[in-house]
């Protein structure tokens, strides 16, 4: 049973109910429950996590649902169908490295964005990487895996259940094979470039799939001397290098830069130079040296991990963007992104306006980007949206 406030939140389209809005807890630790309001009116079926601050995650307005294999299959199938523009609709998302689609990797399930709260499924070629991020979901693990294999035939499934939110659900943080074996490196095809995803030890589930569309866009705009800052394993750099004369890929992680070099070799690209450096120091030094670039990408990690960090994060974002604007030659292009959920799109754009004002340059907003098709953002569930970006042109 939940409070009027909790019920209202759900009526407005948000599936989460916090512990403070639970009036009578469910008699189980975790699993599917029927939720009612204080007048015993049915509100729907939800996943229950007794240990979590987010106690209830609604999955349907229908009460009394049995979350059996058929139910999970139907939800998973509609999530996979939503990706049909990316993964050849004809093969229904079936892992098959011989299709003609532009890529063999994408997110198949984006949690609440697909009506499957706290479930993430990423496909890398013939393998899947999953994250079960709540106790209520974890309770259905076996049936979810059965349903998933029925919807997406696969050679192996790996659980990247090492995310810190698992601890808040009272769940262990582990990386473990669930079905078959998943290779250490999987070759991803992405609109004409190839790179190795690292599902076991890499960041996220092995690669940053959420920037795929931005990488393709930026690849078509790149020219001259290019700079890819916060490069990770060089995935923007690879797209830039197809059109630009030279690309400098900067990351603070030596392992990331080593993998960027491997990925450049995999594509036969010889115009990418890796630099292991702190981005702030690198940009400051380049500015002091009077360096000039024609194309710059800024794809930093989330600077604001919580609300309290927003002001500091905005200062960090402004500093790197200001320096990038100053480093660009007239006519140069900057693609800049933020994946901090807590920094919303208006604050991000306001930060760019301030950086432009301070830069002394005339900066044109050529486009605003968001999440790709496989990371659906539900308008009434802000947590499903975190990534935003802008394409800027330096006029003079
Ligand atoms: N652009 C990449 C994803 C970048 S993720 C892609 O599309 O695949 C952010 C990267 O920033 C990580 O690889 C991390 O190692 C790096 N990073 C974090 N802090 C940094 C810093 N201060 N300077 C340089 N790199 C940093």
């Amino acid at each position: 049973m939940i409070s009027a406030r909790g019920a209202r939140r759900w009526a407005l389209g948000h599936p989460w109910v916090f512990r403070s809005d639970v009036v009578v807890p469910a008699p189980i630790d975790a699993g599917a429950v029927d939720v009612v309001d204080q007048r015993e009116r049915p509100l729907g079926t939800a996943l229950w996590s007794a240990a979590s601050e987010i106690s209830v995650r609604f999955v349907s307005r229908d009460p009394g649902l049995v979350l059996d294999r058929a139910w999970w299959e139907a939800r998973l199938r509609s999530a996979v169908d939503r990706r049909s523009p990316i993964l050849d609709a004809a093969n229904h998302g079936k892992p098959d490295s011989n299709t003609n689609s532009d890529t063999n990797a994408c997110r198949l399930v984006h949690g609440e964005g697909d009506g499957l709260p706290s479930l993430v499924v990423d496909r890398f070629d013939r393998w899947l990487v999953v994250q079960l991020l709540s106790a209520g979901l974890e309770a259905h693990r076996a049936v979810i895996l059965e349903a998933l294999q029925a919807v997406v035939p696969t050679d192996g499934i790996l659980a990247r259940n090492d995310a810190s939110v698992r601890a808040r659900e009272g769940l262990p943080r582990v990386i473990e094979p669930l079905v078959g074996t998943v290779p250490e490196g999987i070759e991803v095809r992405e609109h004409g470039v190839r790179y190795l995803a690292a599902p076991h030890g890499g960041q996220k589930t092995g690669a940053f799939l959420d920037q795929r569309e931005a990488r393709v866009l930026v690849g078509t705009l790149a020219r001259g001397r290019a700079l890819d800052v916060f490069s990770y394993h060089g995935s923007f750099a690879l797209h830039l290098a197809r059109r630009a004369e030279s690309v400098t890929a900067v990351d603070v992680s030596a392992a990331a830069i080593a993998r960027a070099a491997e990925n450049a070799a995999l594509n036969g690209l010889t115009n990418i130079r890796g630099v292991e450096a702190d981005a702030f120091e690198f940009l400051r030094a380049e500015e002091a040296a009077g360096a000039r670039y024609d194309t710059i990408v800024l794809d930093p990690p989330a600077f604001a991990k919580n609300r309290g960090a927003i002001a500091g994060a905005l200062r960090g974002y402004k500093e790197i963007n200001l320096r990038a604007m100053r480093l660009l030659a007239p006519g140069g292009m900057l693609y800049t992104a933020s994946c901090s959920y807590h920094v919303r799109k208006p604050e991000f754009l306001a930060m760019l306006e301030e950086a432009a004002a301070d830069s002394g340059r005339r900066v044109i907003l050529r486009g605003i980007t968001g999440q790709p098709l496989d990371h659906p953002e539900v308008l009434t569930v802000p947590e499903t949206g975190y990534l935003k970006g802008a394409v800027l042109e330096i006029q003079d």
Side-chain angles (χ1 to χ4, degrees):
M1 181 185 285
I2 63 172
S3 70
R5 191 173 58 176
R8 181 167 162 72
R9 202 173 148 80
W10 174 226
L12 294 177
H14 202 297
W16 296 354
V17 180
F18 295 100
R19 187 187 288 156
S20 53
D21 284 317
V22 173
V23 180
V24 180
I28 53 170
D29 276 346
V33 290
D34 255 357
V35 183
V36 296
D37 68 10
Q38 280 171 286
R39 291 196 218 154
E40 299 278 354
R41 280 181 304 206
L43 298 172
T45 305
L47 300 173
W48 167 257
S49 298
S52 174
E53 206 50 54
I54 305 168
S55 310
V56 170
R57 291 172 173 88
F58 277 102
V59 295
S60 173
R61 295 190 192 285
D62 296 334
L65 283 183
V66 178
L67 304 191
D68 56 10
R69 176 161 157 184
W71 185 88
W72 290 100
E73 262 192 57
R75 268 291 151 107
L76 289 167
R77 205 173 291 282
S78 80
V80 172
D81 284 346
R82 201 163 282 129
R83 275 75 179 168
S84 58
I86 306 167
L87 298 165
D88 182 16
N91 81 357
H92 207 79
K94 199 163 54 219
D96 173 3
S97 40
N98 298 319
T99 64
N100 294 321
S101 55
D102 288 323
T103 189
N104 59 348
C106 84
R107 175 154 293 192
L108 293 180
V109 178
H110 181 54
E112 282 76 353
D114 286 295
L116 286 160
S118 55
L119 177 65
V120 170
V121 181
D122 285 344
R123 171 187 158 187
F124 294 99
D125 198 33
R126 305 192 304 279
W127 296 274
L128 302 178
V129 182
V130 302
Q131 294 182 307
L132 300 142
L133 300 175
S134 74
L137 188 81
E138 177 78 51
H140 295 89
R141 178 203 283 225
V143 68
I144 292 170
L145 286 177
E146 275 178 34
L148 191 55
Q149 289 176 89
V151 174
V152 190
T154 170
D155 284 2
I157 304 179
L158 177 75
R160 273 300 295 265
N161 281 336
D162 50 330
S164 59
V165 288
R166 294 252 313 176
R168 288 191 252 151
E169 297 283 322
L171 297 170
R173 294 174 62 183
V174 279
I175 301 173
E176 55 180 342
L178 300 179
V179 175
T181 49
V182 172
E184 288 292 329
I186 302 177
E187 190 172 304
V188 170
R189 282 186 294 110
E190 185 178 274
H191 296 255
V193 309
R194 294 180 294 157
Y195 64 82
L196 283 178
H200 292 264
Q203 296 203 33
K204 287 209 155 188
T205 56
F208 289 86
L209 297 175
D210 54 2
Q211 289 283 24
R212 181 188 57 256
E213 290 178 6
R215 287 191 288 263
V216 174
L217 172 68
V218 170
T220 65
L221 300 171
R223 58 184 184 76
R225 288 190 74 204
L227 181 59
D228 175 15
V229 190
F230 305 99
S231 181
Y232 187 44
H233 56 198
S235 28
F236 271 100
L238 298 172
H239 286 272
L240 295 171
R242 299 172 81 199
R243 272 174 204 255
E245 283 151 32
S246 63
V247 185
T248 303
V250 180
D251 202 284
V252 76
S253 151
I257 289 299
R259 289 187 37 222
E262 285 172 31
N263 286 328
L266 185 64
N267 290 273
L269 292 165
T270 52
N271 57 344
I272 299 177
R273 179 178 72 105
V275 176
E276 178 194 337
D278 171 74
F280 288 83
E281 285 172 15
F282 177 87
L283 291 168
R284 205 173 299 141
E286 287 291 273
E287 193 187 328
R292 274 278 182 267
Y293 291 92
D294 303 293
T295 310
I296 299 182
V297 170
L298 295 177
D299 183 23
F303 286 165
K305 301 262 194 258
N306 53 57
R307 251 172 221 281
I310 295 176
L314 285 169
R315 278 194 297 278
Y317 286 123
K318 183 176 168 189
E319 177 175 342
I320 56 174
N321 280 282
L322 172 60
R323 295 199 192 280
M325 288 171 187
R326 288 187 174 152
L327 282 172
L328 281 161
M333 191 268 297
L334 169 63
Y335 169 72
T336 177
S338 163
C339 59
S340 295
Y341 160 69
H342 296 280
V343 173
R344 306 305 293 170
K345 206 175 284 173
E347 288 86 59
F348 177 68
L349 292 174
M351 174 279 297
L352 291 177
E353 285 168 20
E354 281 182 32
D358 289 3
S359 71
R361 312 294 299 275
R362 190 174 151 87
V363 184
I364 307 173
L365 180 60
R366 296 295 303 272
I368 296 176
T369 61
Q371 290 178 192
L373 281 172
D374 53 337
H375 290 61
E377 194 174 333
V378 181
L379 291 181
T380 53
V381 190
E383 292 82 358
T384 55
Y386 60 96
L387 182 64
K388 55 263 158 207
V391 178
L392 305 175
E393 181 191 320
I394 305 297
Q395 198 177 41
D396 54 34

